[in-house]
Amino acid sequence: MSGGTALVIDGLEVEFGRFRAVDRLSLAIDYGEVRALIGPNGAGKSTVLNVVAGVTPAKAGRIVLDDTDLTGLSEAQIARKGVRRKFQKPSVFEVLTVRENIELGLAIPAAKAPPGRIEDVLAMVNLGDLADRLAGTLAHGQKQWLEIGMVLASDPKILMLDEPVAGLTDEERQRTAALIRALRRPDRAIVVVEHDMGFVEEIADKVTVMHEGRTLFEGPMSRVRQDARVVEVYLGR
Amino acid sequence: MKTLFADRSFAALIALCAVAAIVIALSGGTSMLSPYMVNAIGQLATFAILAVSLDLIWGYLGILSLGHGLFFAIGGYVAAMHLLKHSYEITGIVPDFMQFMGWQEFPLYWAGLSNAPYALLLALGVTAFVAFVFGYVSFRSKVGGVYFAIISQALVYVAMLLMFRNDTGFGGNNGMTGFSLVFGWPAGQPGTLVGMAVVSIIVLIAVLIGCRLLVTSRTGRMMVAARDDEVRLRSLGYGTLWLKLAIWCLSAVIAAIAGILYVPQVGIINPRVLSPELSLEIAVWVAVGGRGYLTGAVIGALAVNALKFWLSAAAPEVWPFILSGLVVLIVLVFPNGLLDLAGLKWKPRLLASLGGAK
Amino acid sequence: MFMIRPLILGWLFAMAFAAGASAQDLGRADLVARLCGNAAATGDAGSRILAGAGQPDAAELPWMETVISALLDRRLKCAADPAQSVVEGDGAVRSAVTLEPASVPDLSKVPVLNLRSRAILELAQSALRLRIGATPTIRRQALAALGRKAASVPVEVFEQAAAGESDAGLKAEIESTAQISALNSPDISKRISAVERLASTPNRRVQTQIAALQADPAYTSDETFRLTVDAALARVGQGILIGDVLSTLYNGLSFASILFMAAIGLSVIFGLMGVINLAQGELIMIGAYVTWLTQEALKSIAPGIADYYLLIAVVPAFLVTAGIGVLLEAAILRHLYKRPLMSLLATWAISLFLINLVRVTFGTQNLQFLTPFYITGGVPVVGDFIVTWNRLFAIAFAAITLALTWLVVNRTGLGLNIRAVTQNRDMAGCIGIPTRKIDMMAFGLGSGLAGLAGLSLSPIYNVNPQMGGNFIIDSFMVVVLGGVGTIGGTLVAALGVGQINVLIEPLWGAVAAKVIVLFLIIAFLQWRPEGLFTAKGRRR
C-alpha cells in the first residue's frame, strides 16, 4: 500500500449556478505525503474537499481512490472507503462527551474496534484528561484537536483537513503541526487546505496552488515562492 | 437497568405512572375515583404517549413533524372500524354512517376487522407503511427542517379533506361512533373505563422505558449527532437515511398506538383529529414540557391538556388566547419549556442537549 | 326621456285617428271584443298583436300595450259592447277602446285566461315593451323574456326594435336575439343566413338552438340547409371547446394570482430569515377585513365614492398588515431567527390569536361586500368563456403587485439590502447593512403583500375569520415548489399549482386536486429538493 498514488482527481468541474468554482482540475496525491492545497479565497480549495467527500456533486470528472471510483457515491459510502474530512469550522457533537465523539469517529461499535483504540486516539490528540467532558465545553483549540481525533479514529487512508489552525494561538498551532507530522504514514495521504504559509511550510511535502478553480503551480514548498505566477496571484494585485 | 433509572426524574415519573395504574385498578369507578376521572386520566395517558412519539423525532432527531395527527388518526380509525365491526357481529347494530349512506354491506376493506389481532396488525402496518413511504421520499432527497414540517402539515391537511368525504367508507364528516362493545366489554361501563385507563398507563410506561433505552444507547447518540450536525455524521461514515427512517417509523407507530387506545375511551373518531391544529398542538405539548427529554414531553402533554380540560369548560372563549400566549411565552422566555420554569438542576449534559436542539 | 316623446306622439296619434286608424286588419273595438272573448279568441287576439308588434309604425303599440297589460293584470273589465269595456289602473277608469275616462259598466266581467293564451299574451306584451318601453331596463327585461322564446317571435319585431334602439349594448343584444328568431322564418335563405350568423358567436345556447333544427322538416328536405346546419354545429362545437379551455385557463390564472399574492410575502420572509410565517393566511384575512372596514367607513363618510373602496383600501390594507408584520418581527420573531422550528410554533400561535381576535370582534359570519360597477359582469369572448371583471381585477392586481415587488427587490436600496442579507447574512452585516432593520422591513413588506392579497380576493371569495386556512397550505406548496425567496420561482410555481388545481377539480373534485398537487410536489422535490429556482452555493 505504501508509496504509489492514493487519490486521483481527474478533470474535475464544479459549477454553482453560472459560477464555475472548479475548472478541469486534475490532481494526484501519493501515499505517505502531506499535500497542502493553497490559494486565494474563492480558488476552489474547499470545494475540492467537498467533492471528494461527496457533499458537493461534480458536473464532470472523476475521483478515484486506489482503484475505486468514488464519483457519485454518498458521503457515508465515501467515508467508509477510508476518506475522512475535518471541516473548516470545528464541528464536534457538543452534547456528547469527548469519548463519545471519538467513538462515533470509529464508525463501528466500540466493542468491535481494536481494544484501547479510543484511549490511543485520545492520547494522540492530547485530550485523555478531558475524555468525559462534554465536547461543547471545550476550548476552540481543543475542539479542533477533538475533530482531528474523530477523523483519525477510524484510521483513514485519506485525511483531509480544512484549515486546521484557523483561529488557534501560536502554541496551539505548533502542537497541531507536530500532530500532523506525527500522523504521516506510508499508507496514508494527508491533504491540508490552509492559508497560513508558515504552517504549510512546516508540514507539507508538496504544495498545489489553486487559482480560479485551476492548478496554478504544483511542486515542493521550496519552489513555490520563486514561481512568478504564484507571486503575481498572491502579491501582484 | 442501572442507566435506565439513573435519571431520578425519569424514575419518579415511571413510579408515578405505576402508582396511578394501581390506584385506578383498585379503586377506579368507586366513589373515591369517579368513572369520569378515570376516563380523563386514561385519555391523558394516550396524549402523553403521543407527545413521547413526537419528542422522539423532534427532540432527539431534530425533525419536527406537524402531521403526527395522521398516524394518531390511522390508529384511531382502524380501532374504530374494529369496534364497529365487532359490535355489529355481536349485537347486529348497523353503524350510523352506513345507514346514512344507505349501505347494506361493509365496504370490502372492512373485511376481517372484527378480528382484534388483525386490526392491530393492520393499524400498525398501515402506519408504518405510510410513514416509511413519506419518510423515504423526504429523507432521501434530504428534505428537512421547515420544509419537512410544512409538507407533513400539508399531508395531514389533505388526509383531513379526504376523510371529510362521505363516500370513503370511513364515516365521512360525522366520523364513527356508537361503539356498543369495547374489545368485548360493554362500552361506557366503569369496569371497561378502568380497564382501558390501566392499559393506557401500562402502555405509556412501556413506551417510556423503551424510548429511554433507545435514546441512551449508541443509536441514541447517533440520533443526537444527526440532529446537531448531520453532515459531520455522514462524513464519519454513517448513512443517516436509515437511521432517520427507522426512528421516524417507530415514532409513527407509537403515535398510532396512542390513537388505538384513545378512540375506545372517547367513543368517537372524526376527521377533526386530522386538522393541522391538533398536530400543531402536539408540538406545543412537547415544547411546553421541554424537547429532547422524555419526562418533559409527558409533563407537557399532561399540563397543557389539564389546562385545556379545565378552561374549555370554565371559559371556552379564552382558551385560544391562553394557548397562543402560552406558546409565545414558551418560545421566547422558556425555550426549554417547563424545565426552565421549574429551574430544576438537571445534569449539565441534559441542559446542553436541550440548548443544542433546533 | 327619448322614449317618452314617441309614446306621447303615439298616444296623440291614436287619439286623432281613433279605432279605425290602425294599420292592422282589425280595429280597436274588434280586438277588444276578441280579448274579451273565450280563451281561443283571446289567444288569437294575442297572436295578432304579436304579429302587429313588428309593424314599422309604432303609433298603435302603446294602446295595445295598455290593454294587454290590463288584461294580464285582471284590470280589463269587459262589457257586452266592446266600446263599453274599460281599463282600470293608476286610480282611473278609462275606455278600453279610446282610453278616454269612462265609468265601469254595470255588467262587467274579467276574462279568464288559460295557460296557452296567457303565454301568448305575455309574449305579445314583451314584444310591445321591447319596442316602446320607456327605459332601457324595461326593454332589456322584455328582451330577456322574448329571448327564451325567440323562435316564436316574428323577426320583424326585433328588426324594428333594433332600428329604434338608442342604447348600443342593448341594440347588439336585440340583433343577436333576432338571429334566433330568424331561424324559424318561413324564408329558407333567411334561415340559412341566420344559422351562419349565429354560428359566428358560438356558445351552448346557440348550440342547443341550432341542434334543434336537426329535427326541423327542412333539415331532411333541403340539402343546403342541412349542410349549413351541420357546418354550423361543428363550428359552434369547436368554439365552445376553445371557450372552455380558455375559461379553465382564465380561472386557473385568477386562482394563481391569489396564490401568488399569498405566497410572495411568504417567500420573501422565508428566503430572508428561514421563517415560515404560519400567520400569513391570517394577514390575508386582516387585509380583507381592512378592505371591508374601508368600505363601511366610505359608506358613512363619503357614500358618493364608496364604490371605489377596492382602490382606496389598497393603502390601509397594506399599511395595517405591514404594521402588524413589523410589530410581530420586532416583538417575537427577531429572537427566533436561528430557531426556525420554534418560529413556526410562534407564528402559529399568532395566527390562532388573530383568528380569535377577529372572531370575538366581528363574529364568524361572512362579510358583505359591495360589488362596484367596475367589477360587475364581463365580456363574452368565445364560446361560454366570459372575461369576468372581478377575476380580471384579481389578475391585474397581482400583475401590478408582481411588477412593484420586482422593482422594490431589484431596483431599490432596500431590495439590494434584502438580497444581500438573503444570500449572506454575516457578510451583509460585516459591510454595514443593518440586518435587523432589513429583517423588520422585509417582514413588513411580506406581510403587507399578504394584506393586498386579502384585498384582491375579497370580491371573489368568502371573507370570515377562518378564511386564512384555505390559502395557507396552497401558498406553502407554492413556496416549497418555487424555491426560496425568488419572485420568478414563486410566480411559476403559483401558475403551476393554480392551473393544476383548476384542471383537476372538474375531473375528480377539489379534494383530489389538493391530493394530486401535494403528491406532485413531493415527487418534484425528489428531483429538485431546493425548489425550482434556487442557485446552489457554498454550504459552509
Side-chain angles (χ1 to χ4, degrees):
Chain A
M1 272 277 197
S2 71
T5 308
L7 188 72
V8 174
I9 296 170
D10 182 20
L12 188 68
E13 284 180 35
V14 183
E15 284 181 354
F16 298 126
R18 260 166 288 167
F19 171 66
R20 179 162 286 201
V22 177
D23 189 6
R24 278 165 297 161
L25 178 84
S26 294
L27 273 182
I29 296 163
D30 292 339
Y31 278 115
E33 77 165 311
V34 176
R35 169 75 60 97
L37 219 50
I38 62 173
N41 269 327
K45 308 176 301 274
S46 292
T47 306
V48 172
L49 295 199
N50 280 335
V51 175
V52 173
V55 177
T56 305
K59 183 170 172 266
R62 291 197 316 153
I63 315 280
V64 181
L65 170 66
D66 296 335
D67 293 322
T68 321
D69 194 343
L70 300 183
T71 323
L73 296 186
S74 77
E75 293 148 272
Q77 284 169 324
I78 291 172
R80 284 198 290 268
K81 300 275 182 207
V83 178
R84 284 293 187 281
R85 177 263 181 91
K86 187 200 141 330
F87 288 93
Q88 193 168 325
K89 203 170 98 188
S91 65
V92 297
F93 300 114
E94 306 208 334
V95 301
L96 300 179
T97 63
V98 169
R99 185 190 304 277
E100 284 168 339
N101 268 283
I102 302 285
E103 191 190 330
L104 276 177
L106 289 173
I108 45 170
K112 292 186 192 165
R117 177 71 192 156
I118 294 177
E119 264 58 39
D120 292 349
V121 174
L122 282 171
M124 217 182 299
V125 294
N126 268 320
L127 292 171
D129 300 341
L130 304 172
D132 293 318
R133 283 266 294 277
L134 284 182
T137 63
L138 296 182
H140 179 72
Q142 292 168 326
K143 282 185 188 170
Q144 292 275 27
W145 291 330
L146 174 57
E147 204 189 350
I148 293 176
M150 286 164 74
V151 296
L152 202 60
S154 66
D155 211 351
K157 288 191 229 174
I158 308 287
L159 192 54
M160 303 190 292
L161 306 172
D162 200 346
E163 305 206 6
V165 293
L168 295 195
T169 63
D170 268 0
E171 195 225 329
E172 289 170 331
R173 207 183 62 112
Q174 290 304 327
R175 292 172 69 171
T176 308
L179 175 60
I180 292 175
R181 281 197 302 270
L183 291 177
R184 182 195 299 169
R185 279 188 1 201
D187 59 350
R188 176 181 291 153
I190 300 176
V191 183
V192 180
V193 166
E194 192 49 74
H195 279 295
D196 184 334
M197 293 301 276
F199 180 72
V200 169
E201 223 158 338
E202 272 178 68
I203 58 159
D205 302 311
K206 219 170 159 188
V207 175
T208 299
V209 183
M210 286 185 68
H211 180 56
E212 291 178 351
R214 300 186 196 195
T215 310
L216 189 69
F217 170 87
E218 193 169 299
M221 192 61 213
S222 52
R223 292 210 340 248
V224 174
R225 291 190 194 276
Q226 287 129 42
D227 189 274
R229 286 170 305 166
V230 176
V231 171
E232 187 203 349
V233 165
Y234 267 95
L235 307 168
R237 307 186 181 177
Chain B
M1 285 312 261
K2 199 181 152 207
T3 53
L4 184 58
F5 296 112
D7 178 358
R8 245 179 284 157
S9 64
F10 182 77
L13 180 69
I14 296 289
L16 186 72
C17 290
V19 169
I22 294 168
V23 168
I24 291 174
L26 293 180
S27 62
T30 65
S31 55
M32 263 179 71
L33 201 57
S34 72
Y36 176 81
M37 274 303 290
V38 169
N39 189 242
I41 294 172
Q43 288 183 35
L44 282 176
T46 66
F47 288 151
I49 298 171
L50 187 55
V52 169
S53 81
L54 186 69
D55 196 24
L56 199 58
I57 52 153
W58 186 22
Y60 290 92
L61 211 45
I63 299 169
L64 174 58
S65 161
L66 292 183
H68 242 47
L70 175 63
F71 306 120
F72 185 72
I74 293 177
Y77 264 98
V78 177
M81 287 160 81
H82 163 71
L83 296 180
L84 281 183
K85 193 80 186 288
H86 188 238
S87 300
Y88 167 76
E89 284 182 3
I90 304 289
T91 63
I93 297 169
V94 179
D96 292 345
F97 83 92
M98 283 174 55
Q99 295 185 2
F100 176 71
M101 294 298 285
W103 290 349
Q104 299 303 313
E105 284 174 26
F106 284 94
L108 197 63
Y109 39 83
W110 282 62
L113 274 170
S114 55
N115 181 319
Y118 168 71
L120 180 67
L121 214 62
L122 185 76
L124 302 186
V126 169
T127 305
F129 176 76
V130 172
F132 180 84
V133 171
F134 179 63
Y136 182 77
V137 296
S138 304
F139 302 143
R140 196 191 70 99
S141 54
K142 294 178 187 161
V143 169
V146 176
Y147 269 56
F148 185 87
I150 291 304
I151 295 177
S152 64
Q153 193 189 21
L155 196 67
V156 77
Y157 176 72
V158 159
M160 178 180 74
L161 294 182
L162 272 178
M163 282 301 175
F164 265 121
R165 295 180 60 118
N166 285 323
D167 55 5
T168 50
F170 296 110
N173 192 14
N174 298 317
M176 291 186 259
T177 184
F179 318 127
S180 42
L181 288 174
V182 174
F183 305 119
W185 305 88
Q189 294 302 305
T192 313
L193 295 178
V194 167
M196 283 307 304
V198 170
V199 169
S200 300
I201 297 174
I202 291 172
V203 172
L204 172 62
I205 293 173
V207 165
L208 275 172
I209 291 179
C211 289
R212 176 78 189 173
L213 287 174
L214 178 68
V215 299
T216 50
S217 71
R218 179 168 180 267
T219 309
R221 288 197 289 282
M222 281 169 61
M223 285 162 66
V224 173
R227 173 191 76 190
D228 290 347
D229 197 338
E230 199 182 337
V231 176
R232 168 85 277 180
L233 189 64
R234 277 205 294 264
S235 78
L236 291 175
Y238 297 91
T240 51
L241 169 64
W242 293 99
L243 173 71
K244 285 157 83 176
L245 205 48
I247 303 300
W248 166 249
C249 290
L250 177 66
S251 164
V253 165
I254 295 174
I257 292 173
I260 293 172
L261 293 170
Y262 173 74
V263 164
Q265 300 192 62
V266 282
I268 184 170
I269 185 153
N270 62 38
R272 269 163 284 277
V273 300
L274 287 161
S275 74
E277 283 73 27
L278 179 88
S279 292
L280 265 153
E281 266 186 48
I282 307 171
V284 171
W285 305 342
V286 176
V288 166
R291 283 155 302 136
Y293 193 57
L294 298 168
T295 316
V298 173
I299 294 173
L302 299 185
V304 176
N305 279 296
L307 194 64
K308 188 178 178 178
F309 272 138
W310 174 59
L311 269 180
S312 302
E317 282 294 313
V318 182
W319 169 243
F321 293 103
I322 300 276
L323 182 61
S324 53
L326 182 69
V327 172
V328 171
L329 192 72
I330 289 290
V331 160
L332 285 186
V333 189
F334 306 113
N336 301 321
L338 291 174
L339 291 181
D340 282 335
L341 195 61
L344 299 171
K345 288 195 167 33
W346 306 107
K347 286 158 72 185
R349 170 168 172 172
L350 280 164
L351 273 183
S353 89
L354 290 163
K358 283 170 196 146
Chain C
M1 282 303 276
F2 40 85
M3 282 313 280
I4 288 178
R5 201 177 317 140
L7 197 72
I8 296 167
L9 284 176
W11 186 73
L12 290 172
F13 194 74
M15 290 307 294
F17 290 88
S22 165
Q24 294 304 107
D25 47 354
L26 287 176
R28 282 187 174 191
D30 226 358
L31 258 179
V32 171
R34 282 167 194 259
L35 288 174
C36 288
N38 62 20
T42 319
D44 176 58
S47 303
R48 285 168 188 272
I49 294 175
L50 183 57
Q55 61 181 310
D57 177 7
E60 200 66 340
L61 303 185
W63 169 77
M64 291 184 188
E65 202 269 337
T66 309
V67 177
I68 272 200
S69 301
L71 174 59
L72 284 167
D73 297 347
R74 303 175 62 83
R75 289 184 282 107
L76 178 66
K77 300 283 164 69
C78 291
D81 176 6
Q84 297 282 307
S85 301
V86 293
V87 173
E88 290 178 339
D90 303 332
V93 178
R94 292 178 293 169
S95 159
V97 175
T98 61
L99 295 183
E100 295 285 330
S103 57
V104 184
D106 295 338
L107 283 170
S108 69
K109 68 173 175 84
V110 176
V112 181
L113 299 174
N114 66 14
L115 277 179
R116 194 182 156 275
S117 56
R118 173 170 280 275
I120 293 171
L121 288 166
E122 280 174 351
L123 207 55
Q125 182 192 34
S126 297
L128 292 166
R129 284 187 176 168
L130 178 64
R131 292 205 55 193
I132 58 159
T135 66
T137 313
I138 293 177
R139 300 198 293 279
R140 190 165 263 123
Q141 279 167 358
L143 180 67
L146 291 176
R148 287 190 285 273
K149 291 181 181 163
S152 36
V153 178
V155 68
E156 291 79 11
V157 171
F158 296 109
E159 285 169 0
Q160 292 297 329
E165 183 55 58
S166 56
D167 180 322
L170 186 53
K171 184 169 179 167
E173 285 175 42
I174 295 174
E175 279 165 350
S176 108
T177 314
Q179 300 306 329
I180 296 162
S181 157
L183 284 180
N184 295 328
S185 155
D187 182 351
I188 196 82
S189 64
K190 247 187 183 173
R191 297 184 73 173
I192 288 174
S193 63
V195 168
E196 284 169 345
R197 262 178 293 168
L198 265 181
S200 64
T201 53
N203 57 46
R204 286 207 161 69
R205 195 167 56 107
V206 165
Q207 189 181 36
T208 319
Q209 277 149 355
I210 299 183
L213 294 178
Q214 287 175 318
D216 195 282
Y219 185 75
T220 41
S221 61
D222 188 320
E223 183 166 357
T224 329
F225 184 69
R226 190 177 73 231
L227 292 176
T228 314
V229 167
D230 289 347
L233 273 180
R235 197 171 149 199
V236 168
Q238 202 184 8
I240 288 174
L241 184 69
I242 295 172
D244 286 353
V245 169
L246 288 177
S247 155
T248 304
L249 290 177
Y250 183 68
N251 287 343
L253 189 62
S254 76
F255 184 50
S257 312
I258 302 288
L259 276 186
F260 172 78
M261 303 265 314
I264 182 67
L266 210 57
S267 177
V268 168
I269 293 170
F270 186 35
L272 194 70
M273 314 165 85
V275 171
I276 280 279
N277 181 10
L278 284 181
Q280 190 82 352
E282 280 58 52
L283 291 170
I284 294 175
M285 182 259 293
I286 302 265
Y289 271 80
V290 172
T291 308
W292 181 78
L293 285 174
T294 310
Q295 167 197 294
E296 295 301 301
L298 285 176
K299 267 195 205 162
S300 55
I301 300 167
I305 56 166
D307 256 0
Y308 294 94
Y309 74 94
L310 275 176
L311 307 177
I312 294 166
V314 167
V315 175
F318 183 87
L319 288 183
V320 169
T321 47
I324 293 175
V326 167
L327 207 67
L328 290 181
E329 202 280 335
I332 298 175
L333 290 161
R334 119 158 345 175
H335 309 289
L336 299 175
Y337 82 94
K338 284 209 166 140
R339 294 188 286 154
L341 296 182
M342 277 309 197
S343 64
L344 217 53
L345 288 190
T347 52
W348 173 69
I350 294 161
S351 85
L352 191 67
F353 176 81
L354 290 176
I355 291 175
N356 284 286
L357 189 68
V358 171
R359 180 186 287 157
V360 168
T361 318
F362 294 92
T364 52
Q365 74 286 355
N366 288 336
L367 292 187
Q368 298 299 314
F369 282 90
L370 293 175
T371 310
F373 63 91
Y374 48 87
I375 58 163
T376 308
V379 174
V381 178
V382 57
D384 295 306
F385 171 42
I386 297 171
V387 173
T388 47
W389 297 131
N390 59 353
R391 287 182 184 273
L392 193 66
F393 176 79
I395 294 170
F397 202 86
I400 294 170
T401 310
L402 168 66
L404 289 180
T405 312
W406 190 87
L407 280 177
V408 167
V409 172
N410 288 299
R411 290 282 183 273
T412 66
L414 172 66
L416 182 64
N417 287 345
I418 288 179
R419 280 180 292 144
V421 179
T422 301
Q423 278 164 29
N424 192 335
R425 172 174 295 272
D426 297 335
M427 185 53 83
C430 286
I431 59 172
I433 296 175
T435 55
R436 284 296 170 83
K437 200 175 146 208
I438 295 301
D439 284 345
M440 200 163 77
M441 293 181 73
F443 209 95
L445 176 68
S447 306
L449 289 171
L452 293 183
L455 182 152
S456 82
L457 61 78
S458 61
I460 308 177
Y461 293 94
N462 287 334
V463 173
N464 55 50
Q466 288 87 24
M467 68 183 286
N470 298 335
F471 299 96
I472 199 71
I473 300 265
D474 282 317
S475 339
F476 289 148
M477 294 298 104
V478 167
V479 174
V480 169
L481 190 60
V484 176
T486 67
I487 298 178
T490 309
L491 177 66
V492 173
L495 287 172
V497 172
Q499 293 295 359
I500 290 171
N501 255 304
V502 297
L503 281 178
I504 297 172
E505 239 179 78
L507 296 178
W508 297 301
V511 175
K514 294 259 185 296
V515 174
I516 292 172
V517 166
L518 176 67
F519 285 122
L520 283 178
I521 285 170
I522 292 176
F524 172 83
L525 287 176
Q526 299 298 300
W527 173 55
R528 291 198 68 158
E530 304 283 311
L532 270 176
F533 284 81
T534 309
K536 290 182 180 136
R538 310 171 81 155
R539 223 196 130 258
R540 277 164 187 271

